Amino acid sequence: MAFTHAHARAETSSRARTTMRAIVCHGPEDYRVEDVSRPRPGDREMIIRIGACGVCASDCKCWSGAKMFWGGENPWVKAPVVPGHEFFGYVDELGAGAAEHFGVAMGDRVIAEQIVPCERCRYCRSGHYWMCEVHNIFGFQREVAEGGMAEFMRIPATARVHRIPDGISLDDAAIIEPLACAIHTVNRADVQLDDVLVIAGAGPIGLMMVQVARLKTPKKLVVIDMVPERLELARRFGADVVINPREEDAWPIVSGLTGGYGCDAYIEATGSPSGVEQGLTLIRKLGRFVEFSVFGAPATVDWSIIGDRKELDVRGAHLGPYCYPIAIDLLARGLVTSQGIVTHRYGLEAWDEAIRVANSLDSIKVLMQPENGRTLP
């Protein structure tokens, strides 16, 4: 990125500021736009100026008060906290040794993975950092660092940081985090060339899964969703068959594609417990069931289907480990796109409208953009 004297003056000015605007989560349905202290970097830490931060389905569930975030004696969310884990930004300030530690320079466009590994637990030490026992995630607990729905953000020393090439658009850069999750999920499905793969849920990440799965060239790619516009986008992204369960029964269609056996692999990305039961019906014996969704309520199913009746291979998919470089490369090569997925942008001050739209079917992906936020046509 080329720098001018104007850039230098702007950076000096931003570092001189002691406060910034941010969205602050105080509790369910209690998110406020406030002036808060601008973060400062410690050793091997950096401050980024946020370019954009996506509103995730988990952010919507957290805002709505889902028990998985707020329930119990030790709730997942430690309020007050600045939310947001789907962010990218520009290096604005570097602590001692941070440039060498992260391999970045002032002004670089970067993204940090959503988890901040502790680097001490058995999972981090064995390379399974995304299952870190401490499990600090940007935007949910403030002990390590707060989230990206702010003007600036501190990136701690144990964060996993990746540079973003200049050729990637703002909207594409903003979907790197969910795209990494999509890649990890599709990889967990172990898609084979002769597979009939069903992806249930054509939300933002589901639509990215469609694009990634298409690159795996399965025999048939089937997408299930109840929103016609999203099904049409899924078809544009490479789905061979789309099914709206409000209008047609999925089983006869999947059965017809598989000689009556059922799909080889099923990815559950609906966020609804009904998606689990549907998958157990559609999948063949010895099939691969991949669970990705974050549910707002428990899913209740007959577990004997998994063992006694079908002997299924049930796999989870959590975050996007080792997939950020792949996501960046796919976007840089134009093999995956945000076009049609990013539907709205808002400035921080418009949070109330942004969460209303994000929590509805009027949008697919909503971005919070501290500078020049606007609603897309």
Side-chain angles (χ1 to χ4, degrees), residues 191-238:
V191 180
Q192 303 297 311
L193 296 174
D194 60 347
D195 277 349
V196 173
L197 169 65
V198 173
I199 297 176
I205 298 184
L207 288 167
M208 294 177 213
M209 291 177 186
V210 174
Q211 297 183 69
V212 174
R214 183 74 269 164
L215 297 175
K216 299 279 190 177
T217 63
K219 182 178 180 181
K220 291 291 182 183
L221 176 54
V222 182
V223 177
I224 302 175
D225 199 273
M226 293 191 292
V227 182
E229 294 80 8
R230 296 185 179 190
L231 290 176
E232 183 56 38
L233 196 52
R235 193 185 294 278
R236 197 176 94 196
F237 287 151

Side-chain angles (χ1 to χ4, degrees), residues 39-225:
R40 298 296 173 189
D43 291 350
R44 299 197 309 165
E45 295 184 344
M46 65 179 170
I47 305 300
I48 63 172
R49 175 173 55 84
I50 296 297
C53 183
V55 181
C56 178
S58 62
D59 292 316
C60 293
K61 290 183 172 70
C62 183
W63 176 86
S64 299
K67 287 185 178 180
M68 69 164 294
F69 295 102
W70 300 101
E73 296 180 359
N74 186 31
W76 175 248
V77 180
K78 307 297 196 311
V81 64
V82 176
H85 58 274
E86 294 184 359
F87 59 84
F88 82 91
Y90 305 85
V91 178
D92 192 76
E93 188 175 358
L94 291 162
E100 297 78 14
H101 175 62
F102 289 120
V104 300
M106 289 291 294
D108 280 354
R109 207 162 46 146
V110 298
I111 185 170
E113 297 191 24
Q114 67 278 72
I115 191 166
V116 184
C118 73
E119 295 189 342
R120 296 185 301 274
C121 72
R122 65 179 294 179
Y123 302 109
C124 289
R125 289 184 177 274
S126 64
H128 301 97
Y129 67 91
W130 70 101
M131 298 307 298
C132 172
E133 186 69 12
V134 180
H135 219 73
N136 281 313
I137 300 282
F138 285 115
F140 292 105
Q141 310 94 16
R142 65 185 308 176
E143 287 92 339
V144 174
E146 306 209 54
M149 294 187 189
E151 291 182 278
F152 299 94
M153 182 177 177
R154 180 175 65 89
I155 306 298
T158 60
R160 299 177 68 92
V161 172
H162 307 273
R163 294 180 66 252
I164 303 172
D166 290 339
I168 293 178
S169 71
L170 182 148
D171 286 350
D172 280 356
I175 70 162
I176 291 171
E177 187 274 342
L179 177 56
C181 294
I183 293 167
H184 179 54
T185 304
V186 172
N187 283 344
R188 292 285 284 162
D190 192 22
V191 180
Q192 303 297 311
L193 296 174
D194 60 347
D195 277 349
V196 173
L197 169 65
V198 173
I199 297 176
I205 298 184
L207 288 167
M208 294 177 213
M209 291 177 186
V210 174
Q211 297 183 69
V212 174
R214 183 74 269 164
L215 297 175
K216 299 279 190 177
T217 63
K219 182 178 180 181
K220 291 291 182 183
L221 176 54
V222 182
V223 177
I224 302 175
D225 199 273

Side-chain angles (χ1 to χ4, degrees), residues 6-21 36-41 47-50 90-94 106-107 151-153 371:
H7 278 112
R9 286 195 298 272
E11 288 165 5
T12 301
S13 174
S14 74
R15 291 194 293 276
R17 293 173 55 186
T18 59
T19 62
M20 66 174 183
R21 294 296 272 173
V36 300
S37 296
R38 182 193 186 281
R40 298 296 173 189
I47 305 300
I48 63 172
R49 175 173 55 84
I50 296 297
Y90 305 85
V91 178
D92 192 76
E93 188 175 358
L94 291 162
M106 289 291 294
E151 291 182 278
F152 299 94
M153 182 177 177
E371 296 181 5

